[in-house]
Amino acid sequence: MKQGSLQVKTGKIDDAYAKALKKATKAAVIQNIMQRKPAVFTKSAKIKKLIANRLGWVDSAAKMKRQVSAIEKFGQSVIKSGVEHVVLMGMGGSSLCPDLIGKMHRKRAGLKSFNVIDSTDPAAVRAVARMIEPKKTLFIVASKSGGTVETRSHEAFFIGLLKENKVRNIGKHFVAITDPGSGLQKDAKKLKYRKVFLNPADIGGRYSALSYFGLVPAYFAGADIRAMVEDAVAFQKLLNEREGETNPAMVLGTLMAVAAKEGIDKLTFVASKKTAPLVPWIEQLVAESTGKSGKGVVPIDNEPLGKIEQYKRDRLFVFLKMAGEKNLAGDRFRKSFGRKKTSIVDIELGSKAELGRQFLLWEAATAVAGYHFGINPFDEPNVTESKNNTNAILAAFERSGAFPDQEPQKRWGKLTLVGYDNARKYSRAQMKDITTFVKRFLQGGKPSKYIAMLNYFKTDSRTEAALEKARKLLRDKTGMATLRGYGPRFLHSIGQLYKGGPRDGMFVVFVKSNYGRLPIPGQFFDFGQLIAAQAIGDSQALMNRDLPTLVIAIDGNPADGLDAFVSAVRRALK
């Protein structure tokens, strides 16, 4: 079987890269990381203690190798018992790895479906409920803390669904993956869950792919978890033994950090069809780990390809493909660079089993980048802030029965402006029609380097198509990098970068005018109210920083609203 490969072209930053790599090699950065020595990151005793409790990922594969047989036997027993559907509920690191493996492999033989739910849009929850037969479904509840509001809400909903279907022994339909001592562990024991997998507490969510959080659902998604773990174990050995430019994590992590310091901070992925599912997982890992203290790498996922002259010089391109796979559009784009001194990373996976080394490569490289940035790559202060905002809004809602004031500022057909940042002032004339307003928004204030469209509704092919049009139009006309994300998923991932990273982004937050009601058993709020609170809390976090922000409500189908916005952008940029 062909082995994968990694090659880099440093471009114009060759001297700065070589100097940084020499410094990191002398400090034995990768060896210190892989040997769990936090002093390489900081002199602070307090921060060293925090980091020490987040380095369990470095040898997780070696430890999990001993658990693979047990996971396989458990999975086989579940399918033999008549289970035909598996639903994984989790957020961030607990959902992105299972989601990517599900998209690469689809499902284990013997199952009819494997689904991941990490949206609180009532439409998304209903969609999953329609795909399954509750009496023949296993639900995996994955939460490190055991208190993730989205995941526990999904859990409560599906318990209620089983009760409605008069299912006995409800606990047999549930599995929990969590840290020891969490509330989820206690509740799972009380409800007699079929199995509780206790994950090592020293592994953070986004670094948990090679732990129970990634491997248990990966089995049901159809992956060869034994081959994947063995590949990661072999790669772990390589990372421990190699130094300097022969160590792929040192090379990749140093290049990412040095490029960002030189203004080349848009880590732009050009992925083939088979490797594209891996990118959102990398996006979370890199953005949440590096986006703090005004620093960070900005990962760009699934942006439509353009011509090389339509990109600014802030791009570090990463080409991803599977061995033997043709990626005609990506290959043509790669060749168009010619002799330009562009910074490029080429990664080829020898097989799907090499996801194991990709997980460890990006985790280690991101930690190396954290060293170069002088930050703690294992915390996420602004993710916690957004969670707190949501909790405060829900608590206020419980007391008053109302959300913070979001009165319509202006209506334009299917679109309603419900909020914008205080740093910009708009006259009545500028708000009269959406074209003039969008033009003012895009041109006003400090020039931004990227624009993110943040969507609080279920993703589907129509919304993705509309967002692709918007991203291509904005990139081609303004040169800005473009991102898109779906809430609340991005709150647990790249949302950290938006608030804590470089202050050079602008944001358009799309919400639904009416989410409809879908009760959550045992809660004073329903799913529609939960996602509304999350959208308000996230928008507040952006606007409190005076970041260029619009909050736009869509009446009816979100795709129709996005199409209307794209039309306004096209007119505004003529």
Side-chain angles (χ1 to χ4, degrees):
M1 185 180 292
K2 184 176 179 181
Q3 289 285 305
S5 62
L6 181 149
Q7 296 179 327
V8 302
K9 179 184 174 185
T10 55
K12 293 182 179 181
I13 60 170
D14 188 60
D15 289 344
Y17 164 79
K19 184 178 179 180
L21 185 63
K22 183 177 180 180
K23 177 187 174 185
T25 302
K26 185 177 181 181
V29 171
I30 193 67
Q31 286 75 24
N32 276 289
I33 291 171
M34 298 305 292
Q35 292 167 23
R36 298 191 184 212
K37 295 180 180 178
V40 72
F41 292 103
T42 181
K43 293 180 180 179
S44 165
K46 181 180 179 181
I47 297 176
K48 277 193 282 190
K49 185 176 180 181
L50 293 172
I51 291 176
N53 193 39
R54 282 295 180 270
L55 290 172
W57 57 272
V58 302
D59 55 1
S60 179
K63 293 180 178 178
M64 291 305 299
K65 187 176 179 179
R66 299 191 290 270
Q67 306 302 324
V68 167
S69 292
I71 295 172
E72 291 174 332
K73 287 178 182 178
F74 173 75
Q76 291 162 5
S77 71
V78 167
I79 295 173
K80 284 181 182 177
S81 72
V83 167
E84 296 180 353
H85 307 272
V86 174
V87 175
L88 181 284
M89 53 194 80
M91 294 301 303
S94 300
S95 66
L96 285 166
C97 177
D99 189 55
L100 87 85
I101 293 176
K103 286 174 179 172
M104 279 192 170
H105 293 271
R106 296 191 62 200
K107 58 184 174 60
R108 172 71 52 186
L111 294 176
K112 289 183 177 179
S113 70
F114 172 83
N115 289 290
V116 174
I117 176 76
D118 62 357
S119 174
T120 48
D121 183 349
V125 181
R126 288 192 183 97
V128 172
R130 285 194 296 267
M131 292 179 191
I132 63 173
E133 301 168 75
K135 294 180 180 180
K136 297 181 179 180
T137 302
L138 179 76
F139 300 95
I140 303 175
V141 188
S143 171
K144 176 178 172 62
S145 68
T148 310
V149 64
E150 299 93 342
T151 303
R152 299 308 300 267
S153 296
H154 291 139
E155 176 193 31
F157 173 82
F158 286 111
I159 287 176
L161 185 64
L162 290 173
K163 288 180 178 178
E164 287 176 17
N165 283 267
K166 299 183 173 19
V167 174
R168 296 180 180 179
N169 298 322
I170 285 175
K172 286 190 176 181
H173 290 264
F174 281 85
V175 168
I177 308 174
T178 189
D179 279 8
S182 74
L184 175 56
Q185 181 193 7
K186 296 171 185 175
D187 291 342
K189 184 178 179 181
K190 189 186 305 180
L191 295 170
K192 298 180 180 179
Y193 276 16
R194 187 172 195 145
K195 180 78 174 176
V196 177
F197 292 94
L198 294 179
N199 213 59
D202 60 356
I203 301 176
R206 59 188 178 275
Y207 290 83
S208 65
L210 292 165
S211 72
Y212 284 126
F213 279 105
L215 297 177
V216 172
Y219 175 84
F220 292 107
D224 183 344
I225 61 172
R226 185 177 298 275
M228 195 163 68
V229 168
E230 287 177 351
D231 183 71
V233 170
F235 195 71
Q236 177 189 330
K237 186 173 184 289
L238 181 152
L239 292 182
N240 273 294
E241 292 176 349
R242 293 191 183 181
E243 297 181 354
E245 62 183 9
T246 67
N247 190 297
M250 278 281 278
V251 168
L252 180 57
T254 300
L255 180 61
M256 284 196 295
V258 172
K261 289 181 177 183
E262 296 290 326
I264 307 172
D265 62 344
K266 309 303 183 300
L267 189 68
T268 304
F269 289 88
V270 182
S272 66
K273 184 177 180 180
K274 290 182 179 179
T275 60
L278 175 61
V279 181
W281 178 85
I282 299 173
E283 177 188 63
Q284 181 209 14
L285 175 70
V286 172
E288 194 172 8
S289 299
T290 68
K292 57 200 72 169
S293 301
K295 306 171 185 178
V297 176
V298 183
I300 311 293
D301 170 35
N302 201 37
E303 186 179 51
L305 288 179
K307 296 178 180 179
I308 188 62
E309 58 267 21
Q310 292 167 325
Y311 296 85
K312 290 184 178 178
R313 295 180 179 178
D314 58 354
R315 305 282 189 143
L316 167 57
F317 290 98
V318 180
F319 290 84
L320 275 171
K321 62 189 280 188
M322 199 73 70
E325 182 185 12
K326 291 184 179 180
N327 183 19
L328 296 179
D331 291 342
R332 283 196 298 268
F333 181 66
R334 177 74 169 77
K335 288 178 182 177
S336 73
F337 292 176
R339 295 184 179 181
K340 291 180 181 290
K341 290 189 175 181
T342 308
S343 300
I344 300 169
V345 177
D346 284 297
I347 295 177
E348 183 174 277
L349 280 72
S351 67
K352 291 180 181 178
E354 285 194 7
L355 278 177
R357 75 180 59 189
Q358 286 299 312
F359 290 143
L360 194 52
L361 166 66
W362 285 97
E363 288 168 352
T366 300
V368 169
Y371 159 81
H372 286 294
F373 280 126
I375 59 172
N376 175 3
F378 307 108
D379 66 352
E380 51 286 320
N382 301 108
V383 171
T384 303
E385 175 193 356
S386 290
K387 291 178 183 178
N388 292 341
N389 282 356
T390 297
N391 291 336
I393 290 167
L394 288 172
F397 171 74
E398 183 178 23
R399 293 191 300 269
S400 66
F403 286 120
D405 183 31
Q406 280 205 309
E407 287 297 316
Q409 308 281 321
K410 188 67 181 178
R411 295 184 187 276
W412 305 296
K414 293 180 180 293
L415 305 179
T416 302
L417 178 67
V418 294
Y420 56 87
D421 60 282
N422 293 324
R424 299 184 183 207
K425 304 297 180 184
Y426 300 94
S427 67
R428 288 187 179 182
Q430 290 170 332
M431 295 178 68
K432 186 175 181 181
D433 67 87
I434 188 171
T435 302
T436 304
F437 182 78
V438 168
K439 187 174 184 178
R440 169 73 176 88
F441 174 70
L442 292 174
Q443 293 178 345
K446 176 186 173 183
S448 297
K449 296 180 181 177
Y450 71 85
I451 182 168
M453 285 162 281
L454 310 177
N455 313 286
Y456 282 86
F457 43 73
K458 173 181 173 288
T459 178
D460 60 35
S461 58
R462 280 198 63 204
T463 60
E464 278 294 280
L467 289 166
E468 280 187 18
K469 290 178 185 176
R471 295 178 73 181
K472 187 176 188 306
L473 186 62
L474 286 162
R475 193 267 322 283
D476 292 353
K477 294 288 187 179
T478 69
M480 284 192 294
T482 65
L483 300 91
R484 63 90 176 87
Y486 290 90
R489 168 186 280 195
F490 78 83
L491 292 178
H492 297 255
S493 57
I494 198 169
Q496 167 63 44
L497 175 104
Y498 294 152
K499 288 96 174 177
R503 295 173 57 85
D504 54 10
M506 61 195 316
F507 306 90
V508 184
V509 181
F510 292 102
V511 299
K512 286 183 180 180
S513 295
N514 183 4
Y515 286 99
R517 294 209 64 211
L518 184 62
I520 303 170
Q523 290 287 11
F524 62 86
F525 52 85
D526 61 34
F527 277 110
Q529 291 159 342
L530 174 56
I531 195 169
Q534 290 172 317
I536 295 169
D538 185 42
S539 301
Q540 285 180 346
L542 293 169
M543 291 188 286
N544 287 344
R545 289 169 169 75
D546 289 335
L547 293 168
T549 305
L550 301 181
V551 184
I552 296 176
I554 298 175
D555 293 328
N557 190 310
D560 293 337
L562 290 176
D563 283 337
F565 180 75
V566 172
S567 296
V569 171
R570 183 174 289 110
R571 293 191 300 269
L573 294 177
K574 275 186 177 180

